[in-house]
């Protein structure tokens, strides 16, 4: 089937045109501020001259090769990694068409390798053992630590040996619930070293969410930490884990070991609640283990990790990534999208609890032997200049963050930025949601002093790595556009019927053909994998995002088109929030929609109907919000509760979210057709109650 597809591939390449030369002179990066009038930001010649991709021509040439011959393109790159045994032929095989049977994606099958070996041992063998792997910056000013690649390997090996000793074997799940200590990437790498499958749960999730994930993947051990300080606040993680493990046991999943890092700057050992026989102090036990540990060699298609993410139904999905393709893809995207050079110091502000922290705090950078900053604290503590203080302290050259952080810092004023030098910066990055042009300009002009290209990277938990991203130096940039596809990626924009749109267009963003970093299944539910991602538009992977392409071929992401909302770059299913609300004994029904939010991108707006006879009150509002905090986590707390004596429903009982979205955003003159409602009167009633 690969032969038949290659003609499509070629057709797509020819439609990807370079911007017309007349527009290329609009702005020269650094010579003028990127302003409203100029929609093209041209890379500075001296940046381009040193870049991996100095021109559109070089990109287009390689892109064409990658699409015409993906097997050749990716096996050349894969050969630069260490493989105990080379992959068999074919380099990849795929079926992405539900009409042709089971969805199946495999890359480098039969190849035997280990991603931890490639991150650590291989870089050490290449002479980088004494290079700094991690600069760790604590919550408090002055609290810091470093690890060289040699030291990191020793720590990873001690933990790997311990895990083996308690019976963790290849293929076993390990849940990690940790803040941004060095121990978090250490834990991920230790699992990878012995072939165990890590499942990191963001330490902002509640005990109920943690327990749900534990019950789903049944880990042998949970790795955690007693507490963490974020800004002025102490968060007692161990209490959350205790509650989660008790809840899991009730649901039939008993975890025997809870390895707990003592973070005594947040909470002393003495004040930490302890379950004898189950809980072990990390520091006490690991020092007893040798600091070298043989690698478990695994197949390229053996699982590397599970990461739960939100979908449009209540139950989180366990996105499963395998080893070889993910390794090759994260390393390559990291290197090119950030124009990475060995002398760079790289800082990604994401938490390892999200995919960005997996691919672009841990694996992508470390596969490249990069020096990575890991920051425990909050970006506005002790004040809003903290990020730039860290940039100057470690001479950060690549800074990768989320639009929500850019917008929140933008509100605090330029002074917090300009009081720091930031001379070391050369590339900026953005991820998690569309970056609005005004935030893009502030990031570019103020943070980057109009020198640094911005890589606005579009991708997802499912995609493993960047799919649409600028290559700094190659392309003129347009503020707010993620620009062009990465090598080997064929984005297509389709209409409701699944027909591919050409040229200037807008519709649903899909991907044709696989790429090495693609997820392979949803853990324990391959059927849901097929129906969620491959059935909407047969023949394609459907991203769930809307997208338009302009006349120059630039891609503009427009946000989710499903029931998923994006709050500060965190993906939250409306159904999850609704289910947390209706679990409140006084809540009869709930409908949640996203609304525009100045800082968070989207805010959570919840319409609630109460049980007959229950009066709405401020206390009830608070207790409804508390339910969501308890069941999902504080980051999912609704911004607004709108009391709804009735909800707009069709005669068949379907809630009309389209109308609720308009009411939530107060676009009352755009309610559209309400004639199909069972009770049209509820709309007026809702509007009347909007600001009560
Ligand atoms: C990496 C990550 C994925 C969703 C995705 C989209 C949004 C991410 C974006 C972006 C516009 C970007 N998204 N990056 N939208 N421009 N540069 O965030 O993964 O948590 O799975 O979220 O985030 O809507 O579908 P994940």
């Amino acid at each position: 089937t690969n032969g038949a597809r290659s003609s499509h591939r070629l057709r797509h390449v020819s439609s990807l045109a370079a911007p017309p030369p007349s527009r290329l002179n609009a702005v020269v990066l650094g010579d003028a501020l990127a302003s409203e009038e100029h929609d093209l930001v041209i890379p500075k010649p001296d940046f381009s001259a040193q870049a991996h991709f100095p021109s559109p021509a070089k990109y287009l040439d390689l892109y064409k090769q990658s699409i015409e011959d993906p097997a050749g393109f990716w096996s050349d790159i894969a050969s630069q990694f260490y493989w105990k045994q080379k992959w068999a032929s074919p380099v990849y095989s795929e079926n992405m068409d539900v009409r042709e049977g089971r969805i199946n994606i495999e890359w480098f099958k039969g190849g035997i390798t280990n991603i931890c070996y490639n991150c650590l041992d291989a870089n050490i063998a290449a002479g980088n053992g004494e290079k700094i792997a991690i600069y760790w910056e604590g919550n408090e000013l002055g609290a810091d630590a470093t690890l060289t690649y040699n030291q990191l390997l020793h720590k990873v090996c001690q933990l790997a040996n311990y895990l083996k000793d308690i019976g963790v074997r290849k293929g076993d799940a390990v849940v990690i619930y940790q803040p941004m200590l060095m121990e978090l990437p250490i834990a991920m790498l230790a699992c990878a070293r012995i072939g165990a499958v890590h499942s990191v749960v963001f330490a902002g999730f509640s005990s109920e969410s943690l327990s749900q994930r534990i019950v789903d993947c049944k880990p042998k051990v949970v790795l955690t930490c007693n507490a963490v300080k974020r800004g002025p606040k102490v968060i007692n993680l161990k209490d959350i884990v205790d509650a989660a493990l008790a809840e899991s046991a009730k649901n039939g999943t008993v975890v025997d070991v809870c390895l707990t890092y003592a973070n005594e700057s947040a909470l002393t050992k003495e004040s930490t609640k302890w379950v004898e026989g189950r809980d072990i102090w990390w520091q006490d036990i690991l020092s007893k283990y040798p600091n070298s540990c043989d690698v478990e060699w695994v197949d390229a298609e053996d699982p590397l990790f599970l990461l739960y993410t939100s979908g449009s139904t209540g139950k989180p999905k366990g996105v499963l990534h395998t080893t070889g393709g993910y390794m090759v893809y994260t390393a390559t995207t990291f290197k090119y999208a950030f124009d990475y050079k060995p002398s760079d110091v790289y800082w990604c502000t994401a938490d390892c609890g999200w995919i960005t922290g997996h691919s672009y705090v841990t694996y992508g950078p470390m596969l490249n032997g990069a020096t990575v900053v890991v920051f425990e604290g909050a970006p506005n503590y002790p004040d809003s200049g903290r990020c730039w203080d860290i940039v100057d302290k470690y001479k950060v050259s690549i800074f990768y963050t989320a639009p929500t952080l850019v917008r929140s810092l933008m509100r605090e004023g330029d002074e917090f930025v300009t009081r720091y030098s930031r001379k070391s910066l050369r590339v900026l990055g953005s991820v998690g949601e569309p970056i609005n042009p005004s935030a893009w300009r502030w990031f570019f002009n103020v943070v980057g002093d109009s020198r640094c290209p911005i890589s606005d990277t579009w991708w997802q938990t499912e995609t493993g790595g960047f799919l649409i991203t600028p290559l700094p130096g190659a392309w003129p940039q347009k503020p707010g556009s993620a620009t062009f596809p990465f090598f080997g990626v064929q984005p297509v924009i389709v209409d409701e019927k699944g027909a591919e749109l050409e040229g200037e267009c807008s519709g649903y963003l899909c991907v044709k053909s696989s790429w090495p970093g693609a997820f392979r299944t949803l853990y324990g539910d391959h059927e849901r994998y097929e129906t969620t991602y491959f059935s909407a538009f047969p023949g394609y992977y459907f991203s769930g995002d809307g997208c338009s392409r302009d006349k120059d071929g630039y891609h503009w992401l427009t946000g989710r088109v499903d029931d998923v909302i994006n709050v500060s770059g965190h993906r939250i299913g409306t159904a999850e929030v609704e289910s947390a609300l209706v679990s409140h004994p006084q809540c009869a029904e709930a409908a949640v929609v996203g609304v525009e939010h100045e800082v968070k991108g989207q805010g959570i707006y919840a319409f609630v109907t109460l049980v007959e006879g229950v009066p709405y009150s401020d206390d009830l509002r608070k207790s409804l919000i508390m339910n969501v905090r308890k069941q999902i986590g504080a980051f999912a707390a609704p911004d607004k509760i709108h009391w709804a004596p009735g909800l707009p429903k069709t005669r068949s009982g379907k809630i009309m979210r389209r109308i609720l979205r308009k009411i939530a955003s107060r676009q009352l003159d755009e309610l559209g057709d309400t004639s199909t409602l069972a009770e049209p009167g509820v709309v007026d009633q809702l509007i009347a109650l909007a600001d009560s």
Side-chain angles (χ1 to χ4, degrees):
T1 58
N2 284 338
R5 282 209 186 91
S6 62
S7 62
H8 291 282
R9 291 194 166 114
L10 284 175
R11 191 152 51 92
H12 189 68
V13 173
S14 61
S15 73
L16 185 108
S22 62
R23 312 192 66 223
L24 291 183
N25 302 323
V27 177
V28 174
L29 203 97
D31 290 356
L33 293 185
S35 66
E36 305 286 336
E37 299 82 65
H38 303 112
D39 60 355
L40 276 187
V41 180
I42 311 284
K44 233 182 147 162
D46 60 351
F47 186 97
S48 290
Q50 60 78 57
H52 290 304
F53 289 89
S55 65
K58 191 172 171 206
Y59 161 81
L60 282 169
D61 194 42
L62 201 63
Y63 180 73
K64 190 161 179 278
Q65 268 183 45
S66 73
I67 303 301
E68 283 171 0
D69 178 21
F73 177 85
W74 287 113
S75 56
D76 281 354
I77 293 181
S79 305
Q80 297 158 23
F81 294 81
Y82 180 81
W83 299 82
K84 185 89 184 152
Q85 182 185 308
K86 214 187 148 183
W87 52 92
S89 165
V91 175
Y92 74 103
S93 64
E94 67 182 27
N95 172 38
M96 307 234 315
D97 192 333
V98 277
R99 295 163 302 194
E100 287 174 25
R102 187 186 151 91
I103 299 294
N104 177 54
I105 298 170
E106 286 177 347
W107 282 82
F108 312 113
K109 177 99 181 148
I112 304 294
T113 188
N114 182 289
I115 195 170
C116 174
Y117 184 91
N118 275 288
C119 285
L120 306 180
D121 312 59
N123 281 312
I124 292 167
N128 287 321
E130 289 306 306
K131 185 175 176 180
I132 303 287
I134 299 178
Y135 280 126
W136 180 79
E137 172 79 4
N139 184 64
E140 303 302 325
L141 283 174
D144 54 24
T146 59
L147 283 182
T148 63
Y149 271 88
N150 281 328
Q151 292 167 328
L152 177 58
L153 175 64
H154 292 163
K155 296 242 178 219
V156 166
C157 287
Q158 285 186 317
L159 178 56
N161 281 322
Y162 167 76
L163 291 174
K164 284 207 294 198
D165 199 28
I166 60 166
V168 178
R169 297 284 172 266
K170 182 182 166 194
D172 289 344
V174 172
V175 163
I176 305 173
Y177 187 78
Q178 291 255 44
M180 287 296 274
L181 302 175
M182 294 198 275
E183 280 63 29
L184 179 43
I186 288 170
M188 296 163 75
L189 290 163
C191 290
R193 192 166 192 87
I194 62 171
V197 181
H198 58 72
S199 175
V200 183
V201 178
F202 172 58
F205 274 108
S206 67
S207 63
E208 292 179 33
S209 289
L210 175 59
S211 161
Q212 194 180 18
R213 287 153 174 77
I214 289 171
V215 169
D216 196 64
C217 73
K218 312 216 174 329
K220 280 245 162 93
V221 50
V222 171
L223 308 181
T224 190
C225 158
N226 59 347
V228 65
K229 265 189 92 178
R230 281 211 25 113
K233 237 171 65 189
V234 174
I235 304 156
N236 191 323
L237 298 178
K238 183 64 167 44
D239 281 355
I240 298 172
V241 174
D242 286 350
L245 290 176
E247 180 71 21
S248 307
K250 274 195 235 149
N251 290 305
T253 302
V254 177
V255 177
D256 296 327
V257 185
C258 178
L259 185 67
T260 308
Y261 186 83
N263 185 15
E264 297 210 75
S265 66
L267 184 71
T268 60
K269 279 171 142 180
E270 293 70 45
S271 336
T272 305
K273 289 201 200 97
W274 210 242
V275 177
E276 283 307 330
R278 184 196 72 189
D279 299 346
I280 310 267
W281 286 117
W282 184 297
Q283 291 96 321
D284 290 357
I285 194 101
L286 292 199
S287 55
K288 303 196 172 90
Y289 284 84
N291 62 12
S292 71
C293 169
D294 286 347
V295 161
E296 179 83 34
W297 299 106
V298 301
D299 191 279
E301 283 301 334
D302 281 335
L304 174 63
F305 67 85
L306 270 180
L307 182 59
Y308 288 88
T309 189
S310 293
S312 34
T313 65
K315 191 174 178 264
K317 305 180 281 197
V319 168
L320 185 115
H321 282 282
T322 56
T323 304
Y326 177 84
M327 171 173 85
V328 171
Y329 200 71
T330 53
T332 312
T333 46
F334 173 78
K335 179 173 171 185
Y336 294 140
F338 294 129
D339 189 46
Y340 171 75
K341 309 284 163 50
S343 56
D344 279 311
V345 175
Y346 166 81
W347 180 23
C348 166
T349 63
D351 191 289
C352 285
W354 308 106
I355 190 67
T356 306
H358 283 62
S359 302
Y360 302 108
V361 172
T362 306
Y363 293 114
M366 291 190 183
L367 286 163
N368 282 280
T371 296
V372 179
V373 175
V374 171
F375 177 41
E376 175 193 38
N380 54 2
Y381 179 81
D383 68 32
S384 298
R386 185 68 187 273
C387 289
W388 324 119
D389 182 51
I390 295 172
V391 164
D392 282 357
K393 177 170 175 183
Y394 298 107
K395 306 274 178 293
V396 171
S397 56
I398 306 173
F399 177 70
Y400 185 36
T401 193
T404 182
L405 180 68
V406 174
R407 286 191 298 264
S408 75
L409 295 179
M410 187 171 142
R411 291 220 304 198
E412 304 299 321
D414 298 2
E415 222 301 281
F416 282 113
V417 187
T418 53
R419 78 161 81 119
Y420 296 95
S421 145
R422 293 159 288 111
K423 279 267 180 312
S424 54
L425 288 174
R426 57 180 211 95
V427 176
L428 302 174
S430 172
V431 62
E433 53 171 318
I435 180 163
N436 46 307
S438 66
W440 196 100
R441 289 193 177 89
W442 185 81
F443 199 25
F444 179 76
N445 290 328
V446 180
V447 174
D449 278 334
S450 315
R451 287 183 288 114
C452 311
I454 299 179
S455 281
D456 173 9
T457 59
W458 176 78
W459 61 297
Q460 308 178 293
T461 304
E462 293 86 344
T463 71
F466 310 148
L467 292 194
I468 302 183
T469 176
L471 298 181
W475 289 98
Q477 296 202 269
K478 296 189 183 187
S481 167
T483 74
F484 297 101
F486 194 73
F487 304 112
V489 175
Q490 297 182 72
V492 294
I493 298 175
V494 302
D495 66 14
E496 313 78 85
K497 296 196 188 75
E500 268 184 50
L501 302 171
E502 298 285 337
E504 214 179 327
C505 61
S506 100
Y508 302 98
L509 182 59
C510 293
V511 187
K512 179 160 64 178
S513 212
S514 74
W515 60 97
F519 68 141
R520 306 301 200 242
T521 192
L522 292 180
Y523 181 68
D525 202 348
H526 198 71
E527 199 182 314
R528 187 174 178 197
Y529 171 72
E530 298 183 332
T531 52
T532 310
Y533 301 100
F534 297 93
S535 298
F537 303 107
Y540 305 109
Y541 164 74
F542 173 45
S543 66
D545 278 0
C547 181
S548 60
R549 197 191 287 127
D550 69 18
K551 59 185 182 314
D552 301 324
Y554 285 70
H555 291 81
W556 299 80
L557 277 300
T558 53
R560 301 290 304 194
V561 295
D562 53 10
D563 291 326
V564 172
I565 45 188
N566 191 326
V567 179
S568 300
H570 300 155
R571 257 168 85 166
I572 298 167
T574 52
E576 286 174 74
V577 182
E578 287 162 7
S579 113
L581 288 167
V582 298
S583 72
H584 190 286
Q586 294 177 314
C587 180
E589 194 168 28
V592 167
V593 297
V595 282
E596 219 175 281
H597 187 287
E598 209 184 318
V599 171
K600 299 197 259 186
Q602 280 190 303
I604 302 180
Y605 194 112
F607 293 89
V608 297
T609 306
L610 301 177
V611 168
E612 203 48 53
V614 171
Y616 185 61
S617 66
D618 200 47
D619 282 347
L620 181 55
R621 184 182 62 82
K622 287 186 190 138
S623 111
L624 285 164
I625 293 176
M626 205 52 203
N627 251 39
V628 181
R629 297 174 74 101
K630 257 187 71 209
Q631 285 187 24
I632 305 175
F635 63 92
D639 297 276
K640 166 87 184 169
I641 301 277
H642 185 145
W643 174 46
L647 289 169
K649 291 183 185 170
T650 61
R651 289 189 192 96
S652 62
K654 236 174 136 25
I655 296 177
M656 293 191 72
R657 286 167 190 281
R658 174 178 63 77
I659 293 175
L660 292 178
R661 278 191 207 104
K662 295 293 178 196
I663 297 175
S665 57
R666 304 293 187 266
Q667 293 168 297
L668 302 178
D669 46 350
E670 292 172 29
L671 291 175
D673 183 14
T674 54
S675 63
T676 55
L677 287 176
E679 289 175 68
V682 300
V683 173
D684 289 335
Q685 198 179 25
L686 278 180
I687 294 171
L689 288 167
D691 294 302
S692 64

